[in-house]
Amino acid sequence: MPKKLIKRWLPDHNTIKNHKNLQIFGDILHDANLWHLNRRSASKAFAIGLFVAFVPVPFQMMLAASIAIFMHANLPLSIAMVWISNPITIPPIFYACYKLGIILMGVPAQEFSFELTWDWFWSSLSTVSGPFLVGSAAFGVFFSVVGYLGINYIWRWKVSQDWKNRKLRRKS
């Protein structure tokens, strides 16, 4: 079931191979192991995608694709997991990262008012960037480990359930 469920939600590999931003990888994208879905490749892909989702950089999909290629993880799944941080979820995720960074660093919270301008961004970068980056790294590591172990556990559990069901069907 995990394999079927994941395959149902993943984009077609030809769509990803032909994506204009991923053309920099060239023929590497034609490696069949990047598209193969098994417990190990899915676990690694979840870990990569969840970690990169918390990295506050543009082009997260490219970063996830690069790491997935290097780590021999499932490429579509690692790219799909990055979309946990999307335009709707980024503000609460980044705010939570900042708050966690404050706690981890033991610094007082900086009072600031939000403005959607470049001037505000560059001026407030120096005051909030330390706690924000520490919180982002902590959340990224935490959720990547949870994702890796969670998918591993669910996959193993489902396979053992399938074996038990087969054994029961054979007896009856």
Side-chain angles (χ1 to χ4, degrees):
M1 179 194 132
K3 186 174 184 175
K4 290 178 185 175
L5 180 67
I6 292 171
K7 277 193 170 187
R8 187 176 346 159
W9 291 100
L10 285 179
D12 181 48
H13 64 83
N14 288 322
T15 305
I16 294 174
K17 284 180 188 177
N18 297 325
H19 194 277
K20 65 179 181 175
N21 291 335
L22 297 177
Q23 293 303 309
I24 64 167
F25 296 114
D27 291 337
I28 295 173
L29 293 179
H30 299 286
D31 180 10
N33 291 324
L34 295 175
W35 310 101
H36 187 69
L37 188 60
N38 59 29
R39 180 179 51 87
R40 288 182 190 90
S41 68
S43 297
K44 285 193 270 186
F46 262 75
I48 292 166
L50 288 172
F51 179 79
V52 173
F54 287 94
V55 175
V57 296
F59 307 110
Q60 290 175 321
M61 288 182 5
M62 299 274 293
L63 181 60
S66 301
I67 297 170
I69 289 168
F70 178 72
M71 300 291 291
H72 304 287
N74 183 277
L75 184 64
L77 189 54
S78 63
I79 291 172
M81 293 307 299
V82 167
W83 278 95
I84 287 173
S85 63
N86 57 59
I88 295 170
T89 62
I90 282 178
I93 286 174
F94 283 1
Y95 182 72
C97 290
Y98 174 67
K99 289 302 232 181
L100 179 64
I102 288 171
I103 293 167
L104 293 176
M105 291 179 69
V107 296
Q110 298 289 329
E111 293 296 325
F112 62 90
S113 61
F114 179 75
E115 296 176 23
L116 197 55
T117 64
W118 282 109
D119 292 333
W120 174 85
F121 175 77
W122 290 113
S123 65
S124 64
L125 187 64
S126 63
T127 59
V128 298
S129 64
F132 172 61
L133 293 175
V134 168
S136 294
F139 269 133
V141 169
F142 174 76
F143 283 111
S144 67
V145 169
V146 168
Y148 181 87
L149 296 175
I151 288 299
N152 230 335
Y153 174 77
I154 291 169
W155 200 289
R156 287 176 186 254
W157 175 79
K158 180 58 180 155
V159 168
S160 70
Q161 291 299 312
D162 289 347
W163 277 102
K164 287 177 187 176
N165 290 340
R166 282 185 209 137
K167 195 174 185 180
L168 288 174
R169 276 188 271 149
R170 287 182 190 147
K171 284 185 178 181
S172 53

